[in-house]
Amino acid sequence: AIEGVPGGVVDVSVLDDGKALAVLREDALSIYRVTPSWDAASLTATHPVSGEPVLASARDGRVVALLTAPHGLATFDAATGHKTGDETLPFELGEVSDFAVSPKGDAVVVGMQNSVWLKAGNAWRQLMTPPAEPARLVEVRFDQDGGRVVAAIGVDEDWTGTSDAAEALSRLTCWSVADANPVPCPHIGVIAWPGLLGPVSDGLVMSGRRDLRSAAQLAEAWVRTADEWTSSVLRADPTFLTSLAADAEGRRLLVGTIDGELLAYSTGVFGPGVTTRLSGDPQMLIWTAAGCRTIAKQQSMLVSETCDGGDRRTGSSGAASTLPSNSRRRSIGKSISSSPSRFSRSNA
C-alpha cells in the first residue's frame, strides 16, 4: 500500500490507467486515487464485504467487480467508487480458478473447476462443463480485444503420464463474447497447472508452465504468421514465474519471476532477454500512459517500481498484513474452508 493505504491487503487491482487502486481487505473493498509519482493515495470510497470475496477489474480500469459467496456479484465505478450493480448469480460459487472483467468492462467471466460462466449484457451463459479427467481447467481470461473468452485446459502438476499424452489433453478453448459460440483458438502445446496464461490476441499468446520432462519453468511466446503458430521459449529455469505481460501492440514482452527478476523481450527478436533486478517478485505488471510499472510484495510492504527498476515506491502494509501469494486458486463458500489469496492479474 502506498502512503495513505492502510494494511491488511488481501488483493489489489490497478484502475484508470494507473491513476487509482482497488484494495481488497478481509472486511472491505476500498478505492483510492494515486498520485502521478505513486508515493501517496487518497481514499475515494469504502464498501464492506464478507466471506472470501474475489476481486477483478477491467483492463481500462473503469469497472471493479467482486464475487462473494454463495452467489453474489457486485460492480463498482472506478472513478467515483459508487456501487453500480448488485445481483444474484444463477449458479453457486465453489472453487474459483479465475474471475475476469473484459477490457471494456461490459462482460465478466467466472472460471471454476466444475464450469465456466460468461455474462455479456444481461444474460449469463454456461460456456463449459468440467473437462474429462485427468484434464483440468488451468485458467480463464478475456483476450486482448475482449471479443473472446479463452480457457486453458491442461494437466495437474503431479502428472505422471508421458509428455505426448499431456499435450493431447492440453488445449485452449475459445468462445465469442457476442453469442457464446465456440470460435477458433491456437494450439500451444502442453499446459500444466499451476501455469500462467498471459496476453492472448490474434497474433500472440504468452504462456508459462512447468516442463514435464525437466521440471523447468518455461515462459513461451507463440506468434502467428498467416495461419501457422510458432513458439519461442523465452526462458527455461527452475525459478517460479509470477507474471507475464505484453504491451498493447504485442511488441514488448515481460516475464516476472519469484526471485525478483524482470526479463524484457521483443517479438521478432527472440533471444536472451534484458534482465532487471527488482526489490521483490513482480506479481503484477501493468502498462499505463506513463509506462510500465510493477507491483510486488516485500515482507509487510507493498512495493511499486517502474519496469527499469527505478522510481521505487513503498508503503507499510501494517504488521498484521497478509500479502497475496502466487497462487490464483480461490475458494468461495463452504466447498473449501481456506485458500491462498492472490493478486488480480486482469491488468496485464
Side-chain angles (χ1 to χ4, degrees):
I2 313 302
E3 182 181 350
V5 180
V9 176
V10 172
D11 206 349
V12 177
S13 191
V14 179
L15 311 172
D16 196 13
D17 195 32
K19 301 182 183 70
L21 288 171
V23 176
L24 180 63
R25 299 180 178 86
E26 290 185 358
D27 60 353
L29 170 68
S30 300
I31 298 175
Y32 300 85
R33 301 301 294 181
V34 182
T35 60
S37 59
W38 277 62
D39 58 351
S42 58
L43 180 66
T44 300
T46 294
H47 300 273
V49 299
S50 59
E52 293 183 7
V54 179
L55 176 68
S57 73
R59 197 172 68 220
D60 65 4
R62 297 191 181 97
V63 176
V64 183
L66 202 65
L67 289 177
T68 54
H71 34 61
L73 171 67
T75 54
F76 306 85
D77 180 81
T80 65
H82 295 160
K83 180 181 282 190
T84 55
D86 200 349
E87 66 176 281
T88 299
L89 302 174
F91 54 91
E92 186 167 336
L93 293 166
E95 181 185 318
V96 176
S97 297
D98 276 292
F99 173 44
V101 180
S102 67
K104 295 181 181 179
D106 55 357
V108 298
V109 64
V110 180
M112 299 179 289
Q113 280 308 307
N114 62 351
S115 60
V116 175
W117 289 81
L118 168 71
K119 182 187 180 185
N122 295 320
W124 281 96
R125 298 180 183 182
Q126 185 174 9
L127 300 181
M128 190 182 79
T129 55
E133 294 185 357
R136 62 163 296 148
L137 179 67
V138 176
E139 185 167 350
V140 180
R141 64 179 301 145
F142 289 95
D143 69 1
Q144 294 292 85
D145 296 329
R148 292 180 295 177
V149 173
V150 184
I153 310 298
V155 296
D156 216 333
E157 61 181 337
D158 58 0
W159 171 258
T160 58
T162 67
S163 182
D164 289 343
E167 183 169 359
L169 291 168
S170 301
R171 66 188 186 277
L172 293 185
T173 302
C174 297
W175 299 269
S176 166
V177 171
D179 57 18
N181 288 327
V183 292
C185 234
H187 177 66
I188 65 168
V190 176
I191 305 169
W193 186 94
L196 295 176
L197 181 60
V200 178
S201 67
D202 287 336
L204 173 70
V205 177
M206 291 185 71
S207 65
R209 62 180 175 87
R210 181 176 66 89
D211 184 80
L212 297 174
R213 293 188 178 95
S214 66
Q217 299 290 326
L218 303 182
E220 297 176 301
W222 293 75
V223 178
R224 180 181 179 182
T225 303
D227 292 328
E228 184 178 356
W229 288 85
T230 57
S231 68
S232 294
V233 176
L234 304 178
R235 180 184 178 281
D237 188 272
T239 308
F240 192 81
L241 302 175
T242 60
S243 48
L244 302 170
D247 64 8
E249 292 77 28
R251 297 173 182 170
R252 187 183 180 197
L253 313 180
L254 294 175
V255 177
T257 73
I258 199 170
D259 62 0
E261 285 188 343
L262 184 65
L263 298 97
Y265 306 85
S266 298
T267 51
V269 195
F270 293 123
V274 177
T275 302
T276 300
R277 174 64 63 176
L278 303 173
S279 59
D281 54 300
Q283 292 189 323
M284 185 190 293
L285 302 173
I286 59 167
W287 258 279
T288 71
C292 177
R293 295 199 72 92
T294 74
I295 296 178
K297 65 176 182 179
Q298 186 180 23
Q299 297 177 357
S300 62
M301 307 282 284
L302 200 61
V303 181
S304 174
E305 302 174 75
T306 58
C307 289
D308 60 7
D311 186 28
R312 180 180 171 196
R313 304 293 176 184
T314 66
S316 173
S317 295
S321 170
T322 301
L323 291 174
S325 70
N326 298 313
S327 174
R328 294 179 317 282
R329 182 189 292 184
R330 185 78 174 174
S331 308
I332 301 234
K334 299 179 180 179
S335 59
I336 298 179
S337 59
S338 63
S339 66
S341 57
R342 50 90 174 129
F343 273 135
S344 298
R345 293 190 295 107
S346 53
N347 300 89

